[in-house]
Amino acid sequence: MKKVLVGMSGGVDSAVAAYLLQKEGYEVCGVTLRTWDAGDGTESRCCEIDDARRVSNALGISFYPLNCVGDFSRSVVEPFIQSYLDGKTPNPCIECNRYLKWDKMLYAAKVMQADYVATGHYAHIIRLENGRYTVKRADFAAKDQTYMLYKLSQEQLASTLMPLGAYSKDQVRKIAQEAGLPVAHKPDSQEICFVTDGHYADFIEEFAKKKNDLAGEAVMQVPGPGNFVDEDGNILGTHKGITHYTIGQRKGLGIALGHPIYVKEIRAGSNEVVLSDEPALFSNIVKVRDVNFLSIPGMAPGEQLRARAKVRYHHAASPAVLEMQEDGCVRITFDDPVRAAAPGQSSVFYDENDCVIGGGIIM
């Protein structure tokens, strides 16, 4: 009997993942990584220990909470905030998967002598003929989470099980209900786990204040109001601070110019937010850094590869050509222009079989 350590968030997906693996004959243990302490006793939606323990009790499996609050703050929260301060739009879940969740779960699995770790992600893990591991799009595209998994390493994928790749969300809830799992009807979280109300700018200001108070000096400064400008640098008005805006944003700008206007660029250095009309948001060329390849070992400088690429989680992958640059970045040339490719977000590349080739951070 193989032993598997299931990462349990307290939600229905990870609960059903544990249940399905148990039905397959695995010896299942549950683990919850406690990643965030809001200071008022509340936890993030990724580490609701009480619900995870209730599910484990219902399944009759061992359960272990692990405290990762300090590591999470250093590896995920602070880089997330710094990215916003730099005028970028980050993807903290991607970084958390690669540099926190899998590292901690695999360490725990080694200590507990488990053969695998498992999660409730909607994706398939496959091994290709070239021997490399990758993730393949879930059978039900509406819940596919391969975009969030492109940074995982070969070693991490080789030791991971994802049993939900063939299921829809409705099927998962039905399984949970029939199995009597106490979280069968628990609603999904739609926000970043540590920003529970979705107000990123408020969270950043509160975090910076706490950090500065603790240090006794201004070690983290949040930019204040600055200028809205057009593409030629003409001042159009005053913004609330660059952390309040993202590329492509139209609503909540607080400025009326008599026609639809959008955020085209955020200039952290000059504390400016560039506004434009919608056509200016489209581009055929996107460049990415910190590239991680899954289905292939890499690309040589100048090498080109046909693919489909996303520029955000909910973007339908579009036909494109990848070209490796001398500096290790990848230049993506889309057949048709894509809208609002935001620096800090990730672009993920797929092959004709819906397998992830790799991905990188938009520059």
Side-chain angles (χ1 to χ4, degrees):
M1 181 185 293
K2 295 285 188 179
K3 186 175 182 180
V4 59
L5 190 68
V6 180
M8 304 188 69
S9 66
V12 65
D13 296 331
S14 56
V16 170
Y19 171 77
L20 292 174
L21 291 169
Q22 188 181 52
K23 295 288 283 185
E24 289 182 28
Y26 288 94
E27 178 188 351
V28 177
C29 297
V31 62
T32 297
L33 307 181
R34 185 169 180 267
T35 56
W36 181 247
D37 181 357
D40 58 3
T42 61
E43 296 172 331
S44 83
R45 291 299 301 270
C46 284
C47 57
E48 293 180 327
I49 293 173
D50 288 345
D51 281 345
R53 182 180 285 111
R54 288 168 61 211
V55 170
S56 298
N57 290 339
L59 293 173
I61 63 175
S62 302
F63 174 72
Y64 307 93
L66 299 179
N67 186 6
C68 305
V69 172
D71 290 331
F72 184 79
S73 183
R74 287 188 295 272
S75 301
V76 180
V77 179
E78 292 193 24
F80 166 85
I81 291 173
Q82 189 58 55
S83 187
Y84 263 106
L85 297 181
D86 292 339
K88 307 295 194 298
T89 305
N91 266 316
C93 296
I94 292 174
E95 303 302 314
C96 181
N97 286 337
R98 172 65 179 88
Y99 298 110
L100 186 90
K101 286 183 179 178
W102 259 263
D103 279 358
K104 295 298 183 182
M105 287 195 299
L106 286 170
Y107 175 78
K110 183 178 181 180
V111 171
M112 299 177 192
Q113 297 184 314
D115 301 280
Y116 300 101
V117 298
T119 69
H121 286 93
Y122 289 83
H124 297 283
I125 296 178
I126 61 172
R127 192 175 190 185
L128 302 171
E129 291 183 0
N130 64 4
R132 292 185 65 84
Y133 289 89
T134 187
V135 286
K136 181 177 180 179
R137 196 183 74 168
D139 292 6
F140 294 85
K143 289 301 295 181
D144 174 60
Q145 292 176 300
T146 51
Y147 177 89
M148 297 294 185
L149 303 168
Y150 83 87
K151 272 201 171 182
L152 296 183
S153 70
Q154 291 295 293
E155 293 76 13
Q156 289 170 332
L157 288 173
S159 301
T160 302
L161 304 175
M162 292 182 185
L164 300 189
Y167 294 90
S168 70
K169 187 72 178 195
D170 289 342
Q171 289 173 326
V172 165
R173 290 200 181 279
K174 183 178 180 181
I175 291 169
Q177 184 174 356
E178 292 176 348
L181 300 180
V183 293
H185 301 290
K186 184 176 180 178
D188 293 337
S189 173
Q190 301 297 323
E191 302 293 343
I192 293 174
C193 69
F194 55 90
V195 188
T196 55
D197 60 4
H199 298 150
Y200 306 137
D202 292 344
F203 172 82
I204 291 169
E205 290 174 4
E206 291 170 7
F207 187 93
K209 184 178 185 304
K210 290 178 182 178
K211 190 173 182 66
N212 292 339
D213 289 346
L214 188 64
E217 58 180 318
V219 295
M220 181 176 285
Q221 297 190 18
V222 180
N227 289 328
F228 281 125
V229 298
D230 64 18
E231 294 175 86
D232 295 322
N234 299 309
I235 296 174
L236 303 175
T238 303
H239 65 69
K240 296 182 292 185
I242 62 172
T243 58
H244 291 264
Y245 308 96
T246 57
I247 305 300
Q249 180 178 337
R250 176 185 175 186
K251 296 181 178 179
L253 298 182
I255 185 172
L257 299 179
H259 57 90
I261 200 77
Y262 302 82
V263 174
K264 182 181 186 295
E265 183 184 352
I266 297 172
R267 297 173 178 168
S270 58
N271 197 25
E272 294 175 325
V273 175
V274 181
L275 302 181
S276 70
D277 57 11
E278 189 168 24
L281 299 178
F282 287 83
S283 175
N284 288 84
I285 306 297
V286 174
K287 191 174 180 182
V288 297
R289 59 177 172 83
D290 299 340
V291 181
N292 186 58
F293 289 105
L294 293 186
S295 67
I296 60 175
M299 296 173 64
E303 182 180 353
Q304 294 186 345
L305 182 65
R306 191 74 182 166
R308 292 178 300 113
K310 290 186 172 190
V311 295
R312 67 184 65 86
Y313 178 65
H314 290 296
H315 175 223
S318 300
V321 174
L322 314 177
E323 182 177 349
M324 177 58 74
Q325 308 294 291
E326 292 285 347
D327 59 4
C329 298
V330 168
R331 175 187 171 101
I332 311 166
T333 304
F334 287 92
D335 292 3
D336 299 308
V338 293
R339 182 184 186 277
Q345 289 281 291
S346 290
S347 180
V348 179
F349 331 132
Y350 295 80
D351 65 19
E352 67 276 10
N353 298 315
D354 292 324
C355 292
V356 171
I357 299 170
I361 300 173
I362 297 172
M363 301 171 66

